[in-house]
Amino acid sequence: MELVCPAGTPASLRAALDAGADVVYVGFRDETNARNFPGLNFSPEELTESLKKAHDMGRQVYVAINTYPQAGNLEPWYKAVDTAAKIGVDAVILADIGLLDYAKRQHPELRRHLSVQASASNPEAINFYRSAFDVQRVVLPRVLTVREIAELIGEIDVETEVFAFGGMCVMAEGRCSLSSYATGKSPNMNGVCSPASHVEYEQRRGKLVSRLGEFTINSFPNEEAAGYPTLCKGRFVGHTGNPSYLFEEPTSLNVMMMLPELIQAGVKALKIEGRQRGKAYVHQVVSGYRKAIDAAMKGDPVPFVDMGNITEGTRSTAGAYEKNWR
Amino acid sequence: MSSQEMNSSAKLTLGPVLYNWPAEQRRDFYFQIADEAPVDVVYIGEVTCSKRAPFLTPFIPEICDRLEQAGKEVVISTLSLVMSKRERKEQHELVQDSPWLLEANDLSAIGLLKGRGHIVGPFVNVYNEDTLNYFYHDGAQRVVLPCELSGKAIARLLASNQNREIEIQAFGRVPLALSARCYHARSHGLSKDGCLYVCEQDPNGMNVETLDGEPFLAVNGTQTMSYTITNLVDELNNLKQLGATHFRLWPQNLDMVKVSKVFRERLDGQLEDAAAQEMLSEFVDFAPFSNGFYHGVEGNRLVE
Amino acid sequence: MHDKNAPTRVPPFTPMLFAGFFMRPIPAVTFKPVVKHVLARMKKLYPEIFSRLAILDNISFLIGPTDLHYRFYLSVREGEVQIDVGDNNTQGHECQAAISGPMLDLIKLLEGRVDGDALFFSRTLNVEGDTEAVLTLRNAVDSADVSLGDVLAGGVPFIKPGFDKLLSKAGSLLGCFEKDFGTVQRSILLPLTRQMDEVGKELDRSEDRLGKVDKEFVRIKASLKKTLQSSERVR
């Protein structure tokens, strides 16, 4: 079982490697990846240096180029793929059909992974990507139960990578325009969801109120744990007339206790979300998962590792991996 | 009106009903569309939730016959989020048996329809000319563009499509997101498995308000939609001149015959923009209009 | 955001607060050379931070330790980063973004020993104003492995040699006290907390009533907007 860990900066990459990551995934400092946040990500020079460090330790680096190239402006995405290939990264993580086609034609030797942003949730879709673009691995969308994952693995001949920990999309990834509806900026087009440029926090009658664009997303009484101002994790009023977490509570995914089942299902790699998080987060989560995977692979019981302090809303869920989540 | 406007052949389409209207109501709706609505293409099928499909399926042949007799092109739309064994099996059967053209709304359907004429639906990501042309090359005869594309991006795609068919979402609440979880059920304190089909209570979707009481979104089962109603009637002629061949109206629980007449007359140059807008705002009354996506700003906004 | 928006909340009960009582007579101006020296050292040791900050244009941050009466002003103008320190009542700093939290947590954040989002989730850290600028600063600072020990190594002007070691000792001592202070605080506050809960509930009820009035107002506004939209169309 491969442990695939996030890094938004070279310092985080070092933290991930020190904590026992098998692979670190990163993005370039532009709109070609889905964590296009200010002050984050890698320049080609930083990537070159980081890759050398990882390879010296016998580890790998993947590069996410997982936004959708803009009509009439394909160059930045082509260039990102070319640069990744030139630097010699171990794989690129892609979502767009056109870009997959480009990568396959221009760099047939460069290993291609299918990003979660492509939302391939069934064998037919995955096999399409496999036969058309020769993808070697698929990152599964966070919509499937463990049982569905096990069944799916039996019907495809591509490696699977699943999300184990971190921020959780409640919508099918790559098929969501909620952010652009509220802010004009979307994950697919701009590499951001509910971007900080459109977020405002204000103190209102002793509560912390988060606003996204024109809309109030949440209001936290002073002692209550807060979450990201992501609009699918806000409090809204639906049928009942009472405010509630209509889509999802502020919570982080954590499937550590399900590790034995995921291993049993034949999952090839576990992915930690959070390229936008600090290196302290990276170090803590990666260390915890390293320990847990090593135990589970030996058949030992998975040790309890407390992640409470770094989870969103300071709580976690097994999310869609359990059927009752739906 | 100019002769160019008269001669052009932009077509009006009616997208699949995204909401859970009772099957009989859907049948009657389509019969009325067949008899009265000046639309050229009608899409039909359960796109949102496979749990709803068994109710509509028995009526589909009858509805399609009636629509074809009325001279409409009939297209069956596939499910947008395919996960379970049952959903996959149903999709396989549909692809094998359907005498009608299919609209693929997931890459699984695209894979199954490779090399055979089909339509790429609005739930498939087509953001640039490379992807667009890949799909045409694979057998797509028409591509419906995603809702969040700006007019500028649409223009670029229209310039690169070598006179093939492109469809633009021009009217209605637009689907913004899909999920494995059912928010309609969740809002009623139910799970998806035991949902009691509560989504049937809201024929235009369930309004979602912010904590300040401001209307924000609409929930339709597992789908999250815009609260506002996209309305591109002002942009029809511009888009047509750039090469858009089809304009989609999403069915809402209101007089869609009237809506389609306004769009048809505007396309044919029998109505000016202002008059068309005025007529639409008279009978589209449950939410305000928006065109923000088209103008490259927040989708909920109306840019005058 | 202006200087008058100083953190008005009750300061957290921390060892720093305690230390702050003794430091109160010392005016902020005393620390200016130290703070400026720290920034100069950081620019030399961690250029990557400053290259990541370069995307910011003309912005000032107010960094306010909630348990001290000093405040830091960090500004980025045309790629140049500057810092100043003031007392709670210092005038003349216009800030577009503010970060506040206990001093030790701010130091931990600087050294990357704690995750900024985690501090925010647990409400330890407070953010106001330009959220994107705050995020940029956080990401930039986190991109280097900052060590205050390294920054202070080699001495600080105006301060006797050896003081850096003392400082770092004081730091770890404060760290040890942190836990004990938490325990003391909880036992002192327990009876009060119970009373406050009752008052809080009453406040919630009042606020619900207020909220309903607010909502009605927004609804009226929305329906007015809709009416306006259609009447404009008709016109």
Side-chain angles (χ1 to χ4, degrees):
Chain A
M1 178 73 79
E2 188 180 276
L3 182 57
V4 184
C5 306
T9 63
S12 285
L13 176 132
R14 292 191 293 270
L17 293 175
D18 290 343
D22 298 308
V23 180
V24 184
Y25 68 102
V26 303
F28 288 118
R29 212 181 293 174
D30 59 21
E31 76 268 54
T32 62
N33 77 92
R35 292 287 183 276
N36 178 25
F37 297 171
L40 205 69
N41 294 322
F42 288 64
S43 66
E45 295 73 35
E46 287 171 337
L47 179 60
T48 308
E49 214 172 285
S50 301
L51 184 73
K52 186 177 180 305
K53 180 166 173 68
H55 282 180
D56 286 349
M57 294 170 77
R59 322 285 180 79
Q60 298 185 67
V61 176
Y62 300 159
V63 174
I65 309 170
N66 57 349
T67 48
Y68 289 80
Q70 190 185 31
N73 179 31
L74 305 173
E75 207 45 48
W77 283 265
Y78 287 168
K79 207 178 126 204
V81 172
D82 296 342
T83 308
K86 195 173 143 213
I87 292 175
V89 302
D90 299 288
V92 284
I93 309 168
L94 310 174
D96 180 59
I97 300 259
L99 195 62
L100 279 158
D101 189 44
Y102 174 84
K104 186 192 168 198
R105 281 186 286 108
Q106 298 295 319
H107 307 283
E109 301 306 313
L110 179 62
R111 197 177 148 94
R112 290 173 290 283
H113 290 184
L114 188 65
S115 167
V116 70
Q117 295 300 114
S119 190
S121 58
N122 54 63
E124 289 78 11
I126 295 166
N127 287 332
F128 164 79
Y129 286 104
R130 169 76 174 164
S131 75
F133 312 113
D134 204 16
V135 297
Q136 301 294 306
R137 181 181 296 182
V138 55
V139 185
L140 293 178
R142 283 162 274 196
V143 297
L144 301 166
T145 62
V146 175
R147 202 177 134 197
E148 283 167 346
I149 291 171
E151 285 171 5
L152 185 146
I153 289 172
E155 293 187 59
I156 55 175
D157 109 58
V158 184
E159 295 171 5
T160 51
E161 180 173 310
V162 304
F163 276 93
F165 189 91
M168 198 179 79
C169 272
V170 293
M171 305 299 178
E173 294 94 338
R175 307 178 83 178
C176 179
S177 301
L178 290 177
S179 179
S180 50
Y181 180 71
T183 72
K185 306 272 177 208
S186 79
N188 284 358
M189 297 190 295
N190 312 95
V192 290
C193 173
S194 311
S197 52
H198 289 68
V199 173
E200 257 179 65
Y201 292 104
E202 56 187 58
Q203 291 286 340
R204 215 193 274 172
R205 291 191 210 118
K207 288 184 179 174
L208 176 70
V209 174
S210 55
R211 287 176 59 81
L212 182 70
E214 298 280 291
F215 302 101
T216 294
I217 297 301
N218 214 333
S219 162
F220 301 97
N222 266 337
E223 297 305 316
E224 188 182 301
Y228 284 117
T230 320
L231 64 85
C232 55
K233 292 186 193 149
R235 277 192 184 95
F236 299 107
V237 181
H239 161 76
T240 59
N242 292 323
S244 71
Y245 285 113
L246 188 66
F247 302 104
E248 179 63 293
E249 288 88 16
T251 179
S252 291
L253 177 73
N254 186 3
V255 301
M256 196 176 277
M257 289 301 142
M258 299 171 102
L259 274 180
E261 291 164 75
L262 290 166
I263 293 168
Q264 185 75 32
V267 168
K268 167 80 183 173
L270 284 185
K271 183 165 212 150
I272 311 289
E273 185 275 347
R275 285 192 282 133
Q276 76 285 11
R277 299 290 294 260
K279 54 184 181 276
Y281 162 96
V282 171
H283 192 270
Q284 185 179 346
V285 182
V286 178
S287 310
Y289 264 88
R290 180 77 273 157
K291 221 188 288 174
I293 291 175
D294 290 347
M297 291 305 280
K298 275 191 281 177
D300 292 347
V302 177
F304 174 76
V305 184
D306 186 13
M307 303 273 196
N309 63 323
I310 45 170
T311 52
E312 202 176 333
T314 62
R315 58 189 146 174
S316 61
T317 169
Y321 294 111
E322 289 176 326
K323 192 151 194 276
N324 58 15
W325 180 83
R326 290 176 184 169
Chain B
M1 89 201 75
S2 71
S3 60
Q4 196 193 353
E5 282 182 2
M6 282 293 285
N7 293 338
S8 82
S9 58
K11 289 184 170 160
L12 216 48
T13 79
L14 187 72
V17 172
L18 297 172
Y19 309 100
N20 187 15
W21 297 354
E24 289 78 7
Q25 186 190 331
R26 280 208 220 191
R27 178 198 56 195
D28 296 346
F29 169 77
Y30 283 116
F31 284 180
Q32 195 201 5
I33 292 294
D35 295 345
E36 301 171 35
V39 296
D40 306 285
V41 183
V42 178
Y43 295 83
I44 170 171
E46 182 52 55
V47 169
T48 310
C49 176
S50 64
K51 284 185 71 180
R52 301 172 182 171
F55 303 104
L56 178 68
T57 306
F59 291 96
I60 284 185
E62 186 187 359
I63 294 172
C64 291
D65 277 355
R66 180 83 169 256
L67 287 165
E68 282 180 329
Q69 277 166 27
K72 318 281 187 208
E73 176 188 324
V74 173
V75 182
I76 307 288
S77 298
T78 68
L79 192 64
S80 50
L81 184 59
V82 180
M83 296 184 296
S84 72
K85 273 207 163 136
R86 180 177 50 82
E87 289 163 354
R88 292 171 51 211
K89 184 166 161 275
E90 282 164 9
Q91 180 164 278
H92 269 281
E93 287 166 3
L94 184 63
V95 169
Q96 262 163 27
D97 306 338
S98 171
W100 300 284
L101 189 61
L102 295 183
E103 174 190 71
N105 282 314
D106 182 58
L107 261 296
S108 54
I110 301 249
L112 295 173
L113 287 162
K114 192 178 162 83
R116 177 174 144 189
H118 63 275
I119 290 159
V120 175
F123 299 92
V124 173
N125 286 332
V126 181
Y127 283 90
N128 53 66
E129 50 273 41
D130 278 8
T131 302
L132 181 69
N133 288 309
Y134 187 92
F135 284 136
Y136 286 136
H137 188 259
D138 243 16
Q141 63 185 62
R142 184 187 314 147
V143 175
V144 189
L145 296 183
C147 69
E148 69 174 11
L149 280 181
S150 68
K152 203 173 136 195
I154 293 173
R156 291 264 167 78
L157 292 176
L158 289 171
S160 78
N161 77 327
Q162 296 149 15
N163 296 321
R164 277 178 280 209
E165 293 180 358
I166 283 199
E167 182 167 332
I168 312 288
Q169 304 181 47
F171 176 86
R173 281 190 159 164
V174 290
L176 298 172
L178 310 169
S179 178
R181 179 180 258 183
C182 177
Y183 304 114
H184 236 117
R186 186 170 155 87
S187 137
H188 284 254
L190 302 166
S191 73
K192 189 178 171 190
D193 281 348
C195 69
L196 306 176
Y197 296 94
V198 286
C199 52
E200 200 180 274
Q201 296 171 12
D202 301 295
N204 278 319
M206 175 185 78
N207 288 349
V208 174
E209 294 178 352
T210 68
L211 292 173
D212 300 332
E214 193 169 356
F216 182 26
L217 299 165
V219 155
N220 169 34
T222 53
Q223 193 176 70
T224 307
M225 315 182 77
S226 64
Y227 169 76
T228 57
I229 299 167
T230 289
N231 176 4
L232 294 187
V233 77
D234 285 353
E235 316 297 339
L236 292 181
N237 284 300
N238 180 31
L239 285 165
K240 194 172 74 176
Q241 260 150 34
L242 291 171
T245 57
H246 291 68
F247 293 98
R248 169 171 298 202
L249 314 175
W250 286 111
Q252 301 295 152
N253 188 33
L254 50 80
D255 194 338
M256 290 305 292
V257 172
K258 270 192 190 166
V259 173
S260 60
K261 280 183 175 156
V262 172
F263 274 79
R264 185 71 264 164
E265 284 172 19
R266 180 67 200 101
L267 273 175
D268 292 345
Q270 290 158 13
L271 274 180
E272 293 300 319
D273 282 343
Q277 285 286 12
E278 187 187 322
M279 290 176 79
L280 286 173
S281 47
E282 260 168 45
F283 52 84
V284 182
D285 54 0
F286 61 89
F289 292 132
S290 65
N291 57 12
F293 284 134
Y294 182 83
H295 290 277
V297 297
E298 298 89 333
N300 70 81
R301 273 176 55 189
L302 181 71
V303 178
E304 302 272 355
Chain C
M1 184 164 318
H2 304 280
D3 213 7
K4 60 182 178 340
N5 288 353
T8 46
R9 290 192 299 168
V10 180
F13 191 64
T14 63
M16 261 304 167
L17 183 67
F18 207 56
F21 289 135
F22 295 100
M23 287 160 77
R24 199 165 272 276
I26 311 174
V29 67
T30 320
F31 295 108
K32 254 187 198 179
V34 182
V35 170
K36 287 191 189 283
H37 171 78
V38 166
L39 181 69
R41 284 280 294 168
M42 284 190 63
K43 282 182 185 172
K44 197 172 161 208
L45 290 174
Y46 314 112
E48 60 268 48
I49 295 183
F50 300 90
S51 76
R52 280 171 196 264
L53 282 177
I55 53 167
L56 290 177
D57 191 29
N58 253 356
I59 194 143
S60 286
F61 296 93
L62 163 65
I63 300 163
T66 40
D67 44 5
L68 283 179
H69 67 290
Y70 304 113
R71 312 162 74 201
F72 304 96
Y73 303 93
L74 188 78
S75 65
V76 188
R77 298 212 191 295
E78 287 161 17
E80 193 51 39
V81 180
Q82 291 188 325
I83 195 158
D84 200 359
V85 59
D87 297 304
N88 269 357
N89 46 16
T90 309
Q91 299 292 314
H93 285 280
E94 281 270 322
C95 294
Q96 291 76 42
I99 308 162
S100 54
M103 185 65 190
L104 281 181
D105 287 300
L106 292 173
I107 291 174
K108 279 186 205 160
L109 197 59
L110 177 68
E111 293 195 301
R113 285 186 283 134
V114 63
D115 176 62
D117 292 5
L119 285 184
F120 175 76
F121 295 153
S122 64
R123 308 294 297 278
T124 312
L125 202 68
N126 202 38
V127 167
E128 283 174 273
D130 188 334
T131 319
E132 186 172 48
V134 172
L135 196 68
T136 312
L137 178 62
R138 197 284 307 265
N139 289 337
V141 167
D142 204 70
S143 73
D145 293 317
V146 175
S147 146
L148 269 188
D150 291 349
V151 171
L152 296 173
V156 180
F158 311 105
I159 288 177
K160 279 181 195 151
F163 185 74
D164 53 313
K165 286 192 189 80
L166 200 70
L167 259 184
S168 88
K169 279 224 176 74
S172 50
L173 210 59
L174 283 171
C176 295
F177 284 156
E178 226 183 343
K179 232 185 187 164
D180 306 334
F181 267 65
T183 317
V184 175
Q185 182 188 27
R186 272 191 299 280
S187 57
I188 295 174
L189 291 184
L190 191 66
L192 265 175
T193 316
R194 284 190 188 132
Q195 279 180 31
M196 287 303 288
D197 278 354
E198 283 310 305
V199 178
K201 272 178 202 154
E202 184 49 42
L203 263 173
D204 280 349
R205 280 191 285 273
S206 311
E207 196 180 333
D208 277 353
R209 285 195 288 273
L210 252 174
K212 273 176 196 146
V213 177
D214 269 5
K215 267 184 212 162
E216 200 46 43
F217 177 70
V218 172
R219 260 188 217 115
I220 293 167
K221 214 170 83 185
S223 85
L224 265 176
K225 203 164 141 192
K226 171 74 190 157
T227 319
L228 212 67
Q229 206 183 89
S230 17
S231 70
E232 265 173 18
R233 285 276 150 54
V234 174
R235 181 170 50 74

